[in-house]
Amino acid sequence: MPSTTVFFDGSCPLCAREISIYRNCRGGDQIDWVDVSKLSGKEVVAGLSKNEALTRFHLRTPDGEIVSGGQAFAHLWTKLPAFKVLGMLCQLKTMSWIVDFSYEKFLRFRPLLQRAMRRRKCKYVN
């Protein structure tokens, strides 16, 4: 049976840290993790460009559907036992709207958070 595939921006310190948490959870070894920042070419998979995958969280379900944003997180969470209940709740109609809305708001601040994390990391390296 095909597995769930997560597409993430490994060059983003925020994204890399969060994905690391999920990968180390029970069930994380059953998911295919694709660091889009390391791929060459303009298309990650059919229907998903590299640019889209770098600017927004995406996931491919076992049946091949590409899901993005808050709903991609909700789907991922249902695959990880520690987050399963949260994922199921976030797929309910009202919660689904809240998760998507919150994710859209987060995306506005993502570049600022990325810069802050990169500066913080640089301070510890020196």
Side-chain angles (χ1 to χ4, degrees):
M1 175 199 297
S3 68
T4 297
T5 304
V6 168
F7 305 102
F8 68 97
D9 179 1
S11 68
C12 165
L14 206 57
C15 306
R17 178 175 275 173
E18 183 173 10
I19 292 299
S20 176
I21 292 168
Y22 297 142
R23 288 178 93 156
N24 290 308
C25 283
R26 188 166 48 100
D29 59 341
Q30 301 299 307
I31 297 169
D32 292 328
W33 304 94
V34 178
D35 181 351
V36 177
S37 69
K38 294 182 178 179
L39 300 179
S40 59
K42 294 184 179 189
E43 191 171 63
V44 177
V45 293
L48 179 62
S49 74
K50 182 175 181 178
N51 186 55
E52 289 172 316
L54 288 171
T55 58
R56 187 175 175 83
F57 184 68
H58 289 79
L59 172 146
R60 184 176 55 201
T61 64
D63 64 359
E65 178 186 5
I66 301 290
V67 183
S68 71
Q71 286 313 295
F73 280 103
H75 187 87
L76 170 61
W77 295 334
T78 64
K79 303 297 179 191
L80 303 170
F83 294 91
K84 187 172 185 119
V85 172
L86 177 63
M88 291 169 52
L89 287 173
C90 289
Q91 290 179 333
L92 298 174
K93 189 173 184 173
T94 302
M95 286 299 293
S96 173
W97 183 86
I98 292 169
V99 170
D100 285 334
F101 179 82
S102 299
Y103 184 71
E104 292 300 323
K105 295 299 178 194
F106 161 77
L107 286 177
R108 292 182 180 183
F109 295 100
R110 181 180 174 217
L112 178 66
L113 294 170
Q114 288 172 322
R115 283 192 298 274
M117 286 188 76
R118 285 186 179 113
R119 277 196 302 268
R120 184 175 177 214
K121 186 176 181 180
C122 289
K123 287 180 182 179
Y124 293 116
V125 172
N126 292 330

